[in-house]
Amino acid sequence: MSYVPARLRDLTIERAGGCCEYCRVSQNSSDVAFHVEHIIAVSHGGKTVEHNLALSCLRCNLYKGTNIAAADPVTGEPTFLYHPRRHRWSDHFRLHGAIIEPLTPEGRATALVLRFNDQERVEQRELLLKFDRYPCPGPD
Ligand SMILES: [Zn+2]
């Protein structure tokens, strides 16, 4: 993980409303501190600047790693992942209960790589839903 100055870290957390910008789980629902991550990884030339940073839960960040693209599981075409600064969540995903349904090639590639709908992740979100703690409202 690359160093992110405190000012940019604080800005990113505040801008995200304390929500994972990928799976929409709230930091308040997690024991583990969320990561301020590089949307385009440093290893791919991504810079440590406002528009390349996003707040991510541990699992989304670990699965995303340095990935910036994947094969769309429907078409097989190389597809960039969902970009929280360039895309709007609701254009690419929708919730069906605790399931995150992708709506676009970017959504499908992202849901695959970040394993949005792994059984344990869905079960965690179902539990949060029961307690009215999911989804995190977030910026959009
Ligand atoms: Zn997440």
Side-chain angles (χ1 to χ4, degrees):
M1 198 167 16
S2 300
Y3 173 74
V4 177
R7 183 188 68 79
L8 284 175
R9 177 174 301 279
D10 292 348
L11 181 149
T12 303
I13 293 167
E14 189 181 321
R15 179 176 58 194
C19 302
C20 174
E21 297 190 66
Y22 296 97
C23 73
R24 308 298 291 268
V25 166
S26 170
Q27 170 69 82
N28 294 334
S29 302
S30 174
D31 294 335
V32 184
F34 283 8
H35 293 174
V36 171
E37 64 109 25
H38 289 79
I39 299 165
I40 304 298
V42 172
S43 59
H44 291 289
K47 303 270 188 277
T48 303
V49 292
E50 284 181 37
H51 62 267
N52 192 42
L53 296 173
L55 189 64
S56 174
C57 73
L58 185 66
R59 287 186 185 178
C60 284
N61 194 33
L62 286 176
Y63 293 137
K64 182 169 176 279
T66 60
N67 290 303
I68 57 173
D72 175 351
V74 171
T75 66
E77 289 296 313
T79 305
F80 282 111
L81 300 181
Y82 169 74
H83 190 303
R85 299 282 74 78
R86 293 183 192 152
H87 301 139
R88 210 164 58 167
W89 199 90
S90 56
D91 289 340
H92 294 274
F93 310 100
R94 72 173 167 220
L95 285 172
H96 183 77
I99 304 278
I100 300 173
E101 292 181 346
L103 304 171
T104 61
E106 292 83 1
R108 291 191 294 265
T110 303
L112 178 75
V113 172
L114 276 60
R115 303 190 202 177
F116 279 168
N117 296 310
D118 275 8
Q119 188 178 344
E120 63 185 71
R121 301 193 76 186
V122 172
E123 287 171 0
Q124 180 204 21
R125 293 195 300 266
E126 280 172 349
L127 196 62
L128 293 172
L129 265 172
K130 270 190 199 162
F131 292 98
D132 217 16
R133 294 176 70 175
Y134 185 80
C136 195
D140 85 8

